């Protein structure tokens, strides 16, 4: 199996762990010299923390484990294009490379809405490798959102016992 | 004293607390309905955490205290223009307003390098009030960096006992 794909498969397994807490399934890994330093998944809902994205948790955990804030030997793997906050954190942490699966056209900070990682005005650039296990990463996300929509429809659709009467009256 | 200035003075006192840890003096407050919910200062060096900016600490602390990640009644006060990561976090936390002192032309995410807070592609906008206690906020930062430069000069300048001899030999 190819190098990046192997790590992305582990990030995908992490992503799936987010669902049990009602969180959007996004997983991330920090890898150094072929070894996993840290792995994590989105915990925004579980922790009630707007900053608890998979990438942020992995960056903070790696810095703590390594005892330094400059993570200049880390490759960050993440199933979905990092948002603006996470892209900004990568610049601050001097991470040299990010590998992600699928682009996020609504909030991505690595080319979709903004291109934070390769701006000449900033004091650091991050190499981007995108499209790794793209189809699988997209499917995990879509499955989650389809499931959410299904649940909302169930919650808002008229229940036969409660709503049939008013509907009949209208006729 | 004017409303915003009063809170910015408290953020400036927070900023000064960062210096004792060798951190860049930036302070922040989260205010709701005229009351301070959280205050904090930059702790990147102290915690070895690249994400431990004053704003991030205050956002996370406020969310924890309020038990929710949507901080839609919070005004964030910060002595310096938030960076890209912190601006991204404000969007994610649905913060409606930020008040800051001085712009950061090298890394600011609220107009200097990027304008994250008012982009029509994102699902939230943040009102910006800038220039509050601007001169004082600039002075606190400049004082810190001038002091750092002074220390570096002291460390790198030739010590009379060690270096005078080789210098004399060159003559």
């Amino acid at each position: 199996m190819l190098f990046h794909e192997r790590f992305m498969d582990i990030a995908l397994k992490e992503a799936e762990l987010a669902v049990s807490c009602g969180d959007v399934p996004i997983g991330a890994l920090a890898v150094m010299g072929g070894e996993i330093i840290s792995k994590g998944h989105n915990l925004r809902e579980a922790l009630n923390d707007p900053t608890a994205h998979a990438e942020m948790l992995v960056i903070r955990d790696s810095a703590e484990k390594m005892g330094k804030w400059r993570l200049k030997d880390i490759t960050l793997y993440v199933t979905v294009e990092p948002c603006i906050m996470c892209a900004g954190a990568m610049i601050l942490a001097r991470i040299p490379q990010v590998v992600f699966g699928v682009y996020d056209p609504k909030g991505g900070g690595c080319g979709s809405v903004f291109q934070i990682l390769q701006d000449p005005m900033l004091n650091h650039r991050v190499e981007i490798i995108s499209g790794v296990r793209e189809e699988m990463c997209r499917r995990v996300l879509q499955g989650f959102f389809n499931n959410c929509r299904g649940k909302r429809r169930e919650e808002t659709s008229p229940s036969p016992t409660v709503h049939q009467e008013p509907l009949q009256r209208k006729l």
Side-chain angles (χ1 to χ4, degrees), chain A:
Chain A
M1 197 186 293
L2 294 169
F3 189 82
H4 292 317
E5 280 74 1
R6 187 165 66 91
F7 288 117
M8 193 58 83
D9 285 344
I10 300 169
L12 275 161
K13 283 202 182 106
E14 269 297 314
E16 283 164 17
L17 298 176
V19 179
S20 63
C21 317
D23 271 297
V24 179
I26 299 175
L29 303 181
V31 172
M32 184 171 71
E35 278 190 31
I36 297 170
I37 302 295
S38 177
K39 48 187 181 173
H41 54 272
N42 187 15
L43 285 172
R44 183 182 68 171
E45 304 290 340
L47 301 179
N48 271 326
D49 179 352
T51 74
H53 284 190
E55 304 93 307
M56 296 295 279
L57 298 171
V58 156
I59 287 171
R60 290 176 52 210
D61 185 48
S62 302
E64 195 182 333
K65 282 176 176 159
M66 297 170 75
K68 57 183 181 180
W69 61 261
R70 284 183 191 86
L71 305 178
K72 61 185 187 55
D73 302 310
I74 289 283
T75 292
L76 192 77
Y77 288 82
V78 53
T79 52
V80 181
E81 180 189 5
C83 75
I84 294 156
M85 171 185 71
C86 295
M90 273 188 265
I91 296 286
L92 295 170
R94 313 287 193 266
I95 288 175
Q97 191 182 50
V98 62
V99 181
F100 64 83
V102 63
Y103 274 97
D104 171 13
K106 287 188 180 172
C110 312
S112 287
V113 181
F114 287 97
Q115 177 47 280
I116 309 292
L117 298 186
Q118 292 171 352
D119 192 274
M121 287 214 18
L122 298 177
N123 62 355
H124 181 73
R125 314 269 188 285
V126 182
E127 185 195 356
I128 299 171
I129 298 172
S130 62
V132 174
R133 293 276 193 252
E134 185 176 3
E135 198 42 47
M136 194 58 199
C137 291
R138 180 176 291 116
R139 218 177 295 160
V140 168
L141 264 192
Q142 278 179 345
F144 175 80
F145 287 116
N146 288 343
N147 198 26
C148 288
R149 276 182 218 111
K151 276 190 187 150
R152 273 204 298 272
R153 261 198 301 272
E154 272 173 34
E155 281 163 16
T156 55
S157 67
S159 130
T161 50
V162 178
H163 291 286
Q164 247 173 8
E165 221 184 317
L167 284 171
Q168 284 172 342
R169 265 195 223 138
K170 274 186 190 167
L171 295 172

